[in-house]
Amino acid sequence: MYPTIFGLYEPSSIYDTLDFLDNGNAKIIAGGQSLIPMLKLRVIQPKFLVDLNKLRGDLDYIEDRGKSIGLGSLATHAKISTDQIVKSKIPLLSVTASKVGDMQVRNLGTLGGSVSNADPSADYPAVLLAYDATLTLISSGGERKVKASEFFKGPFSTELKDNEILREVEFPVLEGYAYKYEKIVRRAGDFAMVGIAVLAKVSDKVEDLRIAYTGVGEKAYRPYELEKELVGKKVTRDDLEKFAEKVSATLTPPSDSRGSSSYRKKVAKIATIKTLSEVLGVVS
Ligand SMILES: Cc1cc2nc3c(=O)[nH]c(=O)nc-3n(C[C@H](O)[C@H](O)[C@H](O)COP(=O)(O)OP(=O)(O)OC[C@H]3O[C@@H](n4cnc5c(N)ncnc54)[C@H](O)[C@@H]3O)c2cc1C
């Protein structure tokens, strides 16, 4: 199917973009990897598209700020997966970016597009929750910062208003953390049936643990209260099995082409045990 007719606006500055968005009935286009299919299926029928790609000078950056790394919304998955700052300072994001879609999608798709789209099976939202990342949203009225835990509202729904753009995602640099992104897919290059992002600081016991899931509910999910049960302990296989059982019981995955709800819960449980065993160094 063809999209309905729309106008294309290519702003030359962020201010032009924000003024234009104030007029309403316009949609941002970044990499187009999610937007174009939605236009073709006529899920959305905006009057105008606002193409951000001329604003790469303002929105495509990876900035090392010492204790944090700021990534502009137009940073592509390919750039994030290969950039040396991201690899060394926020490696969980780097490995996750390398698992998004296929090479074509990674070359065009952007961090900002994926995060703004908030697909319940997208990879980044779980990573943003694990890092407790901060998002900067801008409109003609100014700028506001939102934590990842507040940003994702539901399937394809976020804190972004129609006249706002996501400018940046900022990640704290967590020194000495082990990490892993486990992605279970039906076919190579697919969205996650279950995705698990883990960051953990481990000495002779678990000092900090952040575990977040994608594909298992209406939005990315981090079981904050359950995480605490493993902190301060020398974790055993038995602890992990109990933890995974409890987490699995809180998940609400959909039944769809990627698997039934009950199957995804089982997969999430087994993958939780496997991933945490590896990251926490638990011997079976
Ligand atoms: C074949 C295929 C496989 C894929 N596999 C995966 C996968 O395995 N894992 C995964 O996570 N994703 C996957 N994706 C999605 C991919 O990651 C997209 O790149 C991403 O969802 C959208 O990024 P984009 O830059 O293309 O955004 P666009 O498609 O241009 O925009 C997406 C949405 O975000 C809005 N938007 C974009 N940028 C901004 C901004 N800065 N501020 C406010 N709103 C904005 C747009 O208005 C639109 O609503 C796949 C896509 C395809 C086509």
Side-chain angles (χ1 to χ4, degrees), residues 28 30-35 77 101 109-110 113 116 122-123 166 183 190-191:
I28 298 281
Q33 297 302 289
S34 297
L35 189 77
H77 312 320
T110 64
S116 305
D123 299 299
L166 169 60
K183 179 172 179 176
D190 221 346
F191 277 87

Side-chain angles (χ1 to χ4, degrees), residues 27-38 52 73 77 99-102 105 108-110 112-114 116-117 121-124 160 164-166 183 189-192:
K27 259 300 195 192
I28 298 281
I29 180 162
Q33 297 302 289
S34 297
L35 189 77
I36 299 288
M38 288 191 284
L52 292 187
S73 65
H77 312 320
K99 294 183 178 183
V100 174
D102 51 32
V105 171
L108 287 170
T110 64
S114 175
S116 305
N117 197 46
S121 289
D123 299 299
Y124 289 139
L160 273 168
E164 281 181 317
I165 66 171
L166 169 60
K183 179 172 179 176
D190 221 346
F191 277 87

